Amino acid sequence: MKKLRIPTARGTVLDGVLFSQGASDTVLIAITGIHGNFYSNPFYYNIGHTLAAHGMDFIYAQTTDAFGEIETENRRTGKKEIVGSWNEDFHNTDEDIEGYLAYAQQHGYQHIILAGHSLGANKVIYYLSRHPEAPIDHFLLLSPANLEHLTSVVTDRQKALIRMAKATGQGGKLLPFELLGWITCTVDTAYQWAIDNILDNVHVEPEKDFSQVERIQQSGAMIIGTWDNFTYGDPAGYLRTINAHMQTAKENKLVFIEKTGHQYHRKEQELADRILELMEGWKEEAA
């Protein structure tokens, strides 16, 4: 494994990890979700080691919310920064993903697969909906987050407090309560989560807004555990609904990992093996 330091256009440096066993022309870049680090999502190790053992590289691609707080640096200012889920700005999604894509292109990968887990999958959707020219062969969405379900616990009173604090210039201050019951964050971050969320792009209900999904031009695959608890009891129907709104619906592959949930507990190696199958299939198609 090799630690990566990925600079973004705004200067913030992101931490990543490259799994590789030698020269490869193919890489899978996996964008993390909120608190989606190695400690909470150990399946990243399985994916990385499995792909590397079969001649394909893997990049564990942290964005700023992989931890509650983490110290990094800003290449433009030369100063240290404290970033995390506490002050994340979803509008930096493009820059974060482009930082990793730039690394892949600079290192000569001919085939790039862009993946994301949980909120990271929503970020991939957001990015691809805005960048049809993105230099990727396929997308891979792991357990895309049903944000309406997550934010349903935010009360009207809490939303009113967030709106008032933002309107009175307190956006950079910490929210006086934990958002969703577990996120310590600024008012600005809370406002994006609960009120104006640009990553709220997939839903259980087919009549909701899938406009970002509908703009994606690449084909790919989606994976979910059959016990995923963010889908109102129907993970398979959730993926099929998302896929039905895609231009490449007939080409896309849907994978269901039995008897596991949002983080693939006890099925980490099965997840890695299914991803390997997808990657090998795509590589054969490209040959």
Side-chain angles (χ1 to χ4, degrees):
M1 295 188 296
K2 175 185 177 182
K3 290 185 179 180
L4 304 179
R5 300 285 284 165
I6 304 297
T8 63
R10 65 188 181 280
T12 298
V13 176
L14 304 175
D15 292 322
V17 177
L18 172 66
F19 291 74
S20 177
Q21 290 190 0
S24 175
D25 65 354
T26 301
V27 64
L28 172 67
I29 300 172
I31 305 299
T32 59
I34 183 168
H35 299 176
N37 49 66
F38 281 129
Y39 302 100
S40 60
N41 294 329
F43 60 76
Y44 286 120
Y45 286 107
N46 298 71
I47 297 171
H49 291 309
T50 298
L51 293 184
H54 289 81
M56 290 177 278
D57 288 359
F58 173 69
I59 295 176
Y60 157 83
Q62 279 188 188
T63 50
T64 56
D65 64 358
F67 293 88
E69 291 186 16
I70 188 170
E71 183 178 294
T72 184
E73 63 185 90
N74 189 295
R75 293 280 177 87
R76 297 182 68 181
T77 66
K79 297 179 180 179
K80 291 182 179 180
E81 289 184 336
I82 303 297
V83 299
S85 59
W86 77 282
N87 67 349
E88 182 177 24
D89 184 348
F90 293 159
H91 295 90
N92 290 331
T93 293
D94 283 0
E95 291 184 9
D96 291 351
I97 291 177
E98 285 169 353
Y100 286 103
L101 291 178
Y103 174 89
Q105 289 182 291
Q106 289 163 8
H107 287 77
Y109 291 105
Q110 297 177 32
H111 304 290
I112 302 172
I113 311 300
L114 181 61
H117 172 248
S118 194
L119 189 66
N122 300 64
K123 290 180 178 181
V124 169
I125 291 169
Y126 174 80
Y127 179 77
L128 292 180
S129 74
R130 293 158 51 81
H131 298 280
E133 79 291 350
I136 73 162
D137 290 8
H138 299 285
F139 63 78
L140 178 58
L141 307 178
L142 311 176
S143 308
N146 179 9
L147 297 185
E148 187 172 357
H149 173 75
L150 275 174
T151 59
S152 64
V153 300
V154 184
T155 67
D156 290 341
R157 181 175 178 275
Q158 289 173 334
K159 289 180 180 178
L161 287 171
I162 294 168
R163 286 191 177 96
M164 181 174 292
K166 185 170 178 63
T168 54
Q170 302 177 65
K173 293 185 177 181
L174 283 179
L175 199 65
F177 57 89
E178 289 187 329
L179 188 70
L180 313 185
W182 54 277
I183 305 175
T184 300
C185 63
T186 66
V187 169
D188 281 341
T189 296
Y191 187 87
Q192 291 185 49
W193 267 102
I195 296 167
D196 185 24
N197 197 323
I198 61 173
L199 303 180
D200 186 16
N201 46 31
V202 290
H203 314 277
V204 170
E205 304 86 352
E207 71 277 5
K208 291 291 181 68
D209 183 4
F210 285 87
S211 56
Q212 291 183 25
V213 172
E214 291 165 354
R215 289 196 292 270
I216 295 175
Q217 296 183 15
Q218 294 87 349
S219 62
M222 291 184 281
I223 301 177
I224 201 165
T226 60
W227 289 351
D228 193 299
N229 59 0
F230 296 145
T231 63
Y232 304 115
D234 187 12
Y238 177 59
L239 285 199
R240 292 187 180 110
T241 297
I242 296 170
N243 191 52
H245 287 83
M246 288 192 166
Q247 298 181 35
T248 55
K250 293 182 179 179
E251 303 169 52
N252 297 338
K253 299 174 177 62
L254 306 184
V255 177
F256 307 105
I257 308 294
E258 297 291 334
K259 298 181 179 179
T260 192
H262 195 69
Q263 294 164 309
Y264 306 99
H265 291 313
R266 300 186 179 182
K267 295 295 183 82
E268 292 89 351
Q269 189 56 47
E270 180 178 344
L271 172 65
D273 291 340
R274 299 299 292 275
I275 291 174
L276 174 62
E277 290 175 11
L278 291 167
M279 296 281 287
E280 289 180 331
W282 288 327
K283 197 165 185 178
E284 288 179 8
E285 290 174 5

